[in-house]
Amino acid sequence: MEPIIQVSHLKKYFKNVKAVDDISFTVKKGELFGFLGVNGAGKTTTIQILTTLFPPTEGEVNICQLTLGKENEQIKHHIGVVAQNNSLDKHLTVKENLLLRGGLYQRNTKTLKEKLHQVSEILTLTDVLKRPYGKLSGGQKRRAEIAASLMHTPEILFLDEPTTGLDPAARKQVWSAIHHLQKELKMTVFLTTHYMEEAAKADHISIMNKGHLMEYGTPFSLKAKYAKDTLRLIPKADCQETLTNILLKEKLTCHSRENSYLIPMDSTLSALPVLEQTKSLLQGFEVIQGTMDDVFLNAMKGERNYV
């Protein structure tokens, strides 16, 4: 896939604060790109630069083959933005909000109504179009915010923590819409989130800390690097001592917890020889796979990795 966002040596300084300090990365067209980091890491500042709200201190950014700083007005027609905080007018209906937003880019009434129908179907908002935005549930409001950002058919959708504060059912609805946009409409989605299970859905992930880019890769490659699997062995009541001796003899690193043994594994397949050797002594077992939470926490502990 061809790159749709190219960031090279980007910096943003506020006096003595280096909010973004020399980061470089590429986002491919049509992918879901996860942009992670703790609060204050520089994520939102980076998005504000990419969406033309802040000028960079240094660096080069190309979006849809357009140069940031020189072709900002053209760039705005290619991007949609859903910020952390809701921005639609609570007194207007959903329909009025969407038409108002679309009218910033399109004056043809027929085209606007067609677009309203399309985004309402995608975001399942048809039943609430006539309701005041302020009366919607949290999930409905976020879907309406996404719909508003799509009224001009952008190529890239920036989502800054789109599901924060939503219940699991509402988050599922929002993610169903996001997947539709990416898979069916081939839209590039640039996502920040604090939910690591959401980040695991991304094609590529970048992790920021203190203005620096710490890591970049696929969820699979980052899990392989930072998140080890764990084999949990549950011995039969009369076999605990025998199992302990075998594990000591094999020099396997393990931790005892609640009448079971936890053994770190380099990979899931590494558990097979251990299970073959100890299966007659076991009441049960499970392989606990490493998670994106492990990736995030372990990557944040490491030194800066230039990418």
Side-chain angles (χ1 to χ4, degrees):
M1 291 183 290
E2 64 185 75
I4 196 168
I5 300 175
Q6 294 176 295
V7 177
S8 180
H9 301 292
L10 182 64
K11 299 179 182 179
K12 182 62 180 178
Y13 297 166
F14 299 96
K15 294 185 178 180
N16 295 326
V17 178
K18 296 181 178 181
V20 178
D21 192 17
D22 196 10
I23 67 172
S24 301
F25 62 88
T26 298
V27 179
K28 296 179 180 179
K29 187 174 182 179
E31 77 170 329
L32 173 60
F33 184 83
F35 201 55
L36 310 182
V38 298
N39 290 333
K43 307 186 307 297
T44 297
T45 300
T46 301
I47 287 182
Q48 289 172 327
I49 293 171
L50 299 183
T51 56
T52 76
L53 296 178
F54 282 174
T57 302
E58 290 183 25
E60 296 181 0
V61 177
N62 282 281
I63 298 176
C64 299
Q65 309 301 318
L66 299 168
T67 302
L68 187 73
K70 295 181 180 180
E71 300 171 291
N72 286 5
E73 290 305 313
Q74 295 95 312
I75 288 175
K76 290 176 184 177
H77 287 268
H78 291 271
I79 63 175
V81 184
V82 180
Q84 292 181 21
N85 299 317
N86 293 335
S87 62
L88 297 182
D89 192 313
K90 66 180 180 180
H91 299 294
L92 299 179
T93 65
V94 175
K95 179 179 179 179
E96 289 168 339
N97 268 297
L98 297 184
L99 290 176
L100 182 63
R101 182 69 65 86
L104 297 174
Y105 300 89
Q106 173 62 251
R107 299 300 176 89
N108 185 288
T109 302
K110 181 180 179 181
T111 302
L112 274 176
K113 290 182 178 180
E114 290 174 351
K115 195 62 186 177
L116 173 68
H117 175 75
Q118 181 185 6
V119 300
S120 299
E121 289 289 323
I122 293 173
L123 278 302
T124 60
L125 293 170
T126 304
D127 293 340
V128 298
L129 284 176
K130 296 181 180 180
R131 291 182 59 186
Y133 174 80
K135 300 293 185 180
L136 302 182
S137 68
Q140 290 170 333
K141 285 180 178 178
R142 292 311 278 170
R143 284 186 280 125
E145 293 282 340
I146 296 173
S149 71
L150 300 178
M151 286 296 292
H152 62 295
T153 318
E155 293 183 56
I156 306 170
L157 179 63
F158 289 91
L159 298 174
D160 198 359
E161 300 181 21
T163 60
T164 297
L166 300 184
D167 61 60
R171 285 171 59 195
K172 185 176 180 180
Q173 288 180 322
V174 170
W175 268 101
S176 176
I178 293 172
H179 282 308
H180 178 87
L181 295 172
Q182 189 205 0
K183 302 300 182 183
E184 301 300 326
L185 303 184
K186 309 302 180 185
M187 188 172 292
T188 304
V189 178
F190 190 108
L191 168 79
T192 74
T193 180
H194 286 300
Y195 297 112
M196 292 300 105
E197 70 272 21
E198 293 182 351
K201 302 172 184 177
D203 296 294
H204 287 91
I205 291 171
S206 284
I207 300 176
M208 282 195 74
N209 188 32
K210 298 179 181 179
H212 299 304
L213 199 63
M214 303 290 291
E215 277 293 351
Y216 170 87
T218 65
F220 181 83
S221 67
L222 293 178
K223 281 184 179 181
K225 184 175 182 179
Y226 287 110
K228 300 296 184 182
D229 292 341
T230 300
L231 175 62
R232 180 171 177 247
L233 302 179
I234 307 169
K236 296 176 180 177
D238 57 346
C239 296
Q240 186 167 350
E241 183 176 351
T242 304
L243 180 59
T244 300
N245 291 333
I246 290 176
L247 297 179
L248 289 173
K249 182 180 178 181
E250 296 298 324
K251 297 181 180 180
L252 291 171
T253 302
C254 64
H255 307 281
S256 178
R257 182 186 299 172
E258 298 178 354
N259 298 320
S260 64
Y261 295 92
L262 300 177
I263 307 170
M265 295 278 112
D266 290 331
S267 68
T268 303
L269 291 177
S270 301
L272 294 179
V274 180
L275 291 172
E276 183 63 30
Q277 190 172 3
T278 61
K279 62 184 180 181
S280 63
L281 308 173
L282 301 180
Q283 174 183 324
F285 74 92
E286 65 175 330
V287 177
I288 305 169
Q289 293 189 324
T291 67
M292 285 304 301
D293 284 323
D294 299 325
V295 170
F296 184 77
L297 293 173
N298 291 328
M300 296 296 287
K301 293 177 184 177
E303 295 296 325
R304 180 179 176 187
N305 182 23
Y306 292 85
V307 295

